[in-house]
Amino acid sequence: LAVHVTSQGPTTFIVVRQQDPDCPAIQVHNTSSWASVAYRQLGVAADLEERALPGVPTGYCWDRPQGPNLLSVRAVPRDLGVGVGEMDCNMDRLGALPMLKVGKRYLRLSIEARGPTKVLVIEDDAMDEGEYVCMSPGALDESDAGTNGGAGGPSWHLSLSVVGFGLSVIDATPKELLYLSVSNVSLEMVQSTDWALTDLYVQHIQIDNQTSLGQPVLLGLSSVPHLAPP
Protein backbone atom coordinates (compact mmCIF):
# COMPACT_ATOMS: atom_id res chain seq x y z
CA LEU A 1 0.00 0.00 0.00
CA ALA A 2 1.07 3.60 -0.67
CA VAL A 3 0.20 6.23 1.94
CA HIS A 4 0.41 9.94 1.17
CA VAL A 5 -0.16 12.63 3.80
CA THR A 6 -0.93 16.24 2.91
CA SER A 7 -2.60 19.19 4.64
CA GLN A 8 -4.93 21.93 3.54
CA GLY A 9 -5.42 24.61 6.16
CA PRO A 10 -6.40 22.93 9.45
CA THR A 11 -7.29 19.64 7.71
CA THR A 12 -4.88 16.74 7.20
CA PHE A 13 -5.64 14.25 4.43
CA ILE A 14 -4.30 10.69 4.58
CA VAL A 15 -4.70 8.92 1.23
CA VAL A 16 -4.16 5.14 1.12
CA ARG A 17 -4.07 3.38 -2.23
CA GLN A 18 -2.67 0.27 -3.84
CA GLN A 19 0.97 0.75 -4.76
CA ASP A 20 1.62 0.51 -8.50
CA PRO A 21 4.56 -1.94 -8.74
CA ASP A 22 5.68 -0.28 -11.99
CA CYS A 23 5.76 3.24 -10.48
CA PRO A 24 7.12 3.13 -6.92
CA ALA A 25 7.97 6.42 -5.21
CA ILE A 26 11.64 5.40 -5.00
CA GLN A 27 13.62 2.79 -6.91
CA VAL A 28 17.18 1.62 -6.28
CA HIS A 29 18.84 0.26 -9.42
CA ASN A 30 22.11 -1.42 -8.49
CA THR A 31 24.22 -2.32 -11.53
CA SER A 32 27.41 -3.01 -9.58
CA SER A 33 29.08 -6.33 -10.31
CA TRP A 34 30.72 -6.70 -6.91
CA ALA A 35 28.55 -5.10 -4.22
CA SER A 36 25.04 -5.18 -2.87
CA VAL A 37 23.64 -1.94 -1.48
CA ALA A 38 21.91 -1.61 1.89
CA TYR A 39 19.70 1.44 2.37
CA ARG A 40 17.09 2.97 4.64
CA GLN A 41 15.52 6.35 5.23
CA LEU A 42 17.75 8.55 7.34
CA GLY A 43 16.64 8.48 10.98
CA VAL A 44 14.66 5.22 10.94
CA ALA A 45 15.63 2.11 12.87
CA ALA A 46 18.42 -0.07 11.48
CA ASP A 47 16.15 -3.12 11.35
CA LEU A 48 14.12 -1.39 8.62
CA GLU A 49 17.13 -1.42 6.31
CA GLU A 50 16.55 -3.00 2.89
CA ARG A 51 19.01 -4.38 0.36
CA ALA A 52 19.36 -4.06 -3.42
CA LEU A 53 21.19 -6.97 -5.05
CA PRO A 54 23.32 -6.42 -8.16
CA GLY A 55 21.21 -6.18 -11.31
CA VAL A 56 17.86 -6.22 -9.48
CA PRO A 57 15.83 -2.94 -9.44
CA THR A 58 14.18 -2.60 -6.02
CA GLY A 59 11.17 -0.41 -5.18
CA TYR A 60 11.00 1.53 -1.93
CA CYS A 61 8.50 3.75 -0.07
CA TRP A 62 9.45 6.13 2.73
CA ASP A 63 9.02 4.61 6.20
CA ARG A 64 8.35 8.11 7.59
CA PRO A 65 6.45 10.17 4.96
CA GLN A 66 6.92 13.35 7.02
CA GLY A 67 10.63 12.65 7.56
CA PRO A 68 13.54 13.80 5.38
CA ASN A 69 13.74 12.50 1.81
CA LEU A 70 17.22 11.16 2.48
CA LEU A 71 18.39 7.61 1.85
CA SER A 72 21.28 6.38 3.97
CA VAL A 73 23.21 4.09 1.60
CA ARG A 74 26.12 1.75 2.28
CA ALA A 75 27.86 -0.79 0.08
CA VAL A 76 28.09 -4.48 1.01
CA PRO A 77 30.93 -6.04 -1.04
CA ARG A 78 30.64 -9.75 -1.73
CA ASP A 79 34.16 -10.42 -0.43
CA LEU A 80 33.43 -8.75 2.92
CA GLY A 81 29.74 -9.46 3.58
CA VAL A 82 29.44 -6.40 5.81
CA GLY A 83 28.54 -2.84 5.00
CA VAL A 84 31.38 -0.38 4.38
CA GLY A 85 31.32 3.12 2.99
CA GLU A 86 28.21 5.18 3.72
CA MET A 87 26.47 8.17 2.16
CA ASP A 88 23.22 10.10 2.69
CA CYS A 89 21.50 10.70 -0.65
CA ASN A 90 18.99 13.53 -1.11
CA MET A 91 16.37 11.96 -3.40
CA ASP A 92 15.01 15.41 -4.32
CA ARG A 93 18.32 16.37 -5.95
CA LEU A 94 18.66 15.00 -9.47
CA GLY A 95 22.02 14.37 -11.08
CA ALA A 96 25.38 12.88 -10.15
CA LEU A 97 26.40 12.43 -6.51
CA PRO A 98 29.90 12.25 -5.00
CA MET A 99 31.69 8.92 -5.40
CA LEU A 100 31.15 6.32 -2.68
CA LYS A 101 34.52 4.96 -1.57
CA VAL A 102 34.56 1.27 -0.65
CA GLY A 103 38.10 0.25 0.35
CA LYS A 104 40.23 1.00 -2.72
CA ARG A 105 37.25 0.89 -5.07
CA TYR A 106 34.50 3.36 -5.88
CA LEU A 107 30.84 3.31 -6.79
CA ARG A 108 29.24 6.01 -8.94
CA LEU A 109 25.82 7.19 -7.72
CA SER A 110 23.26 9.33 -9.50
CA ILE A 111 19.57 10.17 -9.14
CA GLU A 112 17.23 10.18 -12.13
CA ALA A 113 13.53 10.93 -12.59
CA ARG A 114 11.62 8.30 -14.56
CA GLY A 115 8.02 9.48 -14.62
CA PRO A 116 6.85 9.84 -11.01
CA THR A 117 9.67 7.61 -9.75
CA LYS A 118 13.00 8.87 -8.39
CA VAL A 119 15.68 6.29 -9.24
CA LEU A 120 18.99 5.92 -7.39
CA VAL A 121 21.44 4.35 -9.86
CA ILE A 122 24.59 2.65 -8.54
CA GLU A 123 27.38 1.76 -10.99
CA ASP A 124 30.92 0.41 -10.79
CA ASP A 125 33.72 2.89 -11.35
CA ALA A 126 36.80 1.69 -13.21
CA MET A 127 39.32 3.89 -11.38
CA ASP A 128 41.18 2.73 -8.28
CA GLU A 129 42.43 4.88 -5.40
CA GLY A 130 45.68 5.78 -7.15
CA GLU A 131 43.93 7.09 -10.27
CA TYR A 132 41.19 9.07 -8.57
CA VAL A 133 42.24 12.68 -8.13
CA CYS A 134 39.32 14.55 -6.58
CA MET A 135 37.09 13.27 -3.81
CA SER A 136 35.52 16.46 -2.40
CA PRO A 137 31.74 16.75 -3.07
CA GLY A 138 32.11 20.35 -4.24
CA ALA A 139 34.80 19.49 -6.75
CA LEU A 140 32.82 16.51 -7.98
CA ASP A 141 29.81 18.73 -8.60
CA GLU A 142 31.97 21.11 -10.63
CA SER A 143 33.39 18.24 -12.66
CA ASP A 144 29.92 16.83 -13.33
CA ALA A 145 28.65 20.21 -14.47
CA GLY A 146 31.56 20.81 -16.81
CA THR A 147 32.74 17.50 -18.28
CA ASN A 148 29.81 15.14 -17.90
CA GLY A 149 27.30 17.67 -19.21
CA GLY A 150 28.29 16.91 -22.78
CA ALA A 151 27.63 13.20 -22.19
CA GLY A 152 24.13 13.70 -20.89
CA GLY A 153 24.97 14.67 -17.29
CA PRO A 154 23.22 17.66 -15.72
CA SER A 155 24.80 21.04 -16.48
CA TRP A 156 22.74 22.95 -13.90
CA HIS A 157 20.12 22.25 -11.26
CA LEU A 158 17.59 24.55 -9.56
CA SER A 159 15.50 23.68 -6.52
CA LEU A 160 13.03 26.20 -5.07
CA SER A 161 10.58 25.77 -2.20
CA VAL A 162 8.13 28.42 -0.93
CA VAL A 163 5.87 27.99 2.12
CA GLY A 164 3.25 30.30 0.67
CA PHE A 165 2.32 33.81 -0.45
CA GLY A 166 -0.73 36.01 -0.95
CA LEU A 167 -1.59 38.74 -3.46
CA SER A 168 -4.36 41.36 -3.21
CA VAL A 169 -5.89 43.25 -6.14
CA ILE A 170 -7.31 46.62 -5.08
CA ASP A 171 -8.95 49.56 -6.83
CA ALA A 172 -8.28 53.28 -6.42
CA THR A 173 -10.58 53.62 -3.39
CA PRO A 174 -8.62 51.57 -2.14
CA LYS A 175 -10.91 48.53 -1.86
CA GLU A 176 -9.85 44.91 -2.16
CA LEU A 177 -11.33 43.17 -5.20
CA LEU A 178 -9.53 39.82 -5.34
CA TYR A 179 -7.23 37.86 -3.08
CA LEU A 180 -4.93 35.11 -4.36
CA SER A 181 -3.46 32.64 -1.85
CA VAL A 182 -0.90 29.96 -2.73
CA SER A 183 0.78 27.54 -0.32
CA ASN A 184 3.50 24.88 -0.39
CA VAL A 185 5.08 25.53 -3.78
CA SER A 186 8.08 23.52 -4.94
CA LEU A 187 9.94 23.85 -8.24
CA GLU A 188 12.64 21.48 -9.49
CA MET A 189 14.50 22.19 -12.75
CA VAL A 190 17.40 20.27 -14.28
CA GLN A 191 18.96 21.22 -17.62
CA SER A 192 21.49 19.20 -19.60
CA THR A 193 22.83 19.26 -23.12
CA ASP A 194 20.37 16.64 -24.34
CA TRP A 195 17.51 16.61 -21.84
CA ALA A 196 15.56 18.87 -19.48
CA LEU A 197 13.24 18.26 -16.54
CA THR A 198 10.81 20.68 -14.88
CA ASP A 199 8.72 19.55 -11.92
CA LEU A 200 6.25 22.03 -10.35
CA TYR A 201 4.02 21.16 -7.38
CA VAL A 202 1.44 23.48 -5.77
CA GLN A 203 -0.46 22.06 -2.83
CA HIS A 204 -3.10 24.77 -2.54
CA ILE A 205 -4.24 27.72 -4.65
CA GLN A 206 -7.38 29.85 -4.31
CA ILE A 207 -8.73 33.14 -5.67
CA ASP A 208 -11.36 34.80 -3.48
CA ASN A 209 -13.85 37.38 -4.72
CA GLN A 210 -13.76 40.15 -2.11
CA THR A 211 -16.72 42.06 -3.60
CA SER A 212 -20.41 41.45 -3.01
CA LEU A 213 -20.99 40.44 -6.65
CA GLY A 214 -20.70 36.90 -7.99
CA GLN A 215 -19.31 33.80 -6.36
CA PRO A 216 -17.12 34.20 -3.27
CA VAL A 217 -14.52 31.74 -4.63
CA LEU A 218 -13.47 32.19 -8.25
CA LEU A 219 -10.78 29.52 -8.31
CA GLY A 220 -10.09 26.80 -5.78
CA LEU A 221 -9.45 23.13 -5.21
CA SER A 222 -12.09 20.47 -4.86
CA SER A 223 -12.79 18.92 -1.46
CA VAL A 224 -9.90 16.46 -1.93
CA PRO A 225 -6.73 18.30 -3.02
CA HIS A 226 -4.66 17.19 -5.96
CA LEU A 227 -1.80 15.07 -4.72
CA ALA A 228 1.67 14.86 -6.16
CA PRO A 229 2.88 11.30 -6.84
CA PRO A 230 4.25 9.81 -3.58
Side-chain angles (χ1 to χ4, degrees):
L1 296 177
V3 180
H4 186 72
V5 181
T6 188
S7 14
Q8 180 181 352
T11 306
T12 298
F13 294 87
I14 302 176
V15 180
V16 181
R17 61 171 179 258
Q18 187 69 34
Q19 175 69 58
D20 184 351
D22 296 326
C23 297
I26 302 295
Q27 187 179 76
V28 179
H29 191 184
N30 179 17
T31 66
S32 171
S33 61
W34 53 269
S36 299
V37 174
Y39 59 93
R40 59 190 170 95
Q41 185 178 12
L42 185 66
V44 304
D47 58 359
L48 294 176
E49 187 174 70
E50 300 187 26
R51 185 168 296 195
L53 301 176
V56 182
T58 306
Y60 178 73
C61 289
W62 298 115
D63 291 295
R64 292 170 51 202
Q66 302 289 12
N69 291 349
L70 297 173
L71 272 187
S72 181
V73 176
R74 59 191 181 93
V76 185
R78 290 176 177 172
D79 52 350
L80 295 180
V82 295
V84 295
E86 190 165 346
M87 179 186 297
D88 296 335
C89 303
N90 185 350
M91 296 304 295
D92 291 330
R93 183 187 185 280
L94 302 180
L97 301 175
M99 294 282 189
L100 178 61
K101 184 179 179 181
V102 185
K104 293 186 177 182
R105 293 177 289 185
Y106 296 93
L107 292 174
R108 285 186 287 125
L109 281 71
S110 62
I111 298 174
E112 304 174 358
R114 300 175 185 174
T117 303
K118 299 288 180 66
V119 183
L120 175 63
V121 181
I122 298 104
E123 302 172 284
D124 292 337
D125 189 81
M127 295 184 292
D128 62 21
E129 189 172 27
E131 297 173 311
Y132 201 65
V133 178
C134 169
M135 278 301 295
S136 69
L140 280 168
D141 286 345
E142 292 176 6
S143 173
D144 292 333
T147 59
N148 292 346
S155 56
W156 61 265
H157 172 261
L158 170 67
S159 180
L160 176 66
S161 180
V162 179
V163 175
F165 62 88
L167 176 66
S168 290
V169 178
I170 61 176
D171 60 15
T173 307
K175 180 180 179 182
E176 189 174 40
L177 304 177
L178 300 174
Y179 180 73
L180 166 68
S181 60
V182 181
S183 63
N184 292 342
V185 181
S186 62
L187 174 65
E188 194 90 16
M189 298 179 67
V190 181
Q191 177 71 52
S192 179
T193 54
D194 54 4
W195 58 269
L197 170 70
T198 301
D199 185 12
L200 174 65
Y201 171 59
V202 179
Q203 184 185 66
H204 177 70
I205 181 171
Q206 185 165 312
I207 300 178
D208 295 323
N209 177 11
Q210 302 295 79
T211 71
S212 58
L213 303 176
Q215 297 293 325
V217 178
L218 301 180
L219 174 67
L221 298 173
S222 59
S223 56
V224 177
H226 173 71
L227 301 177

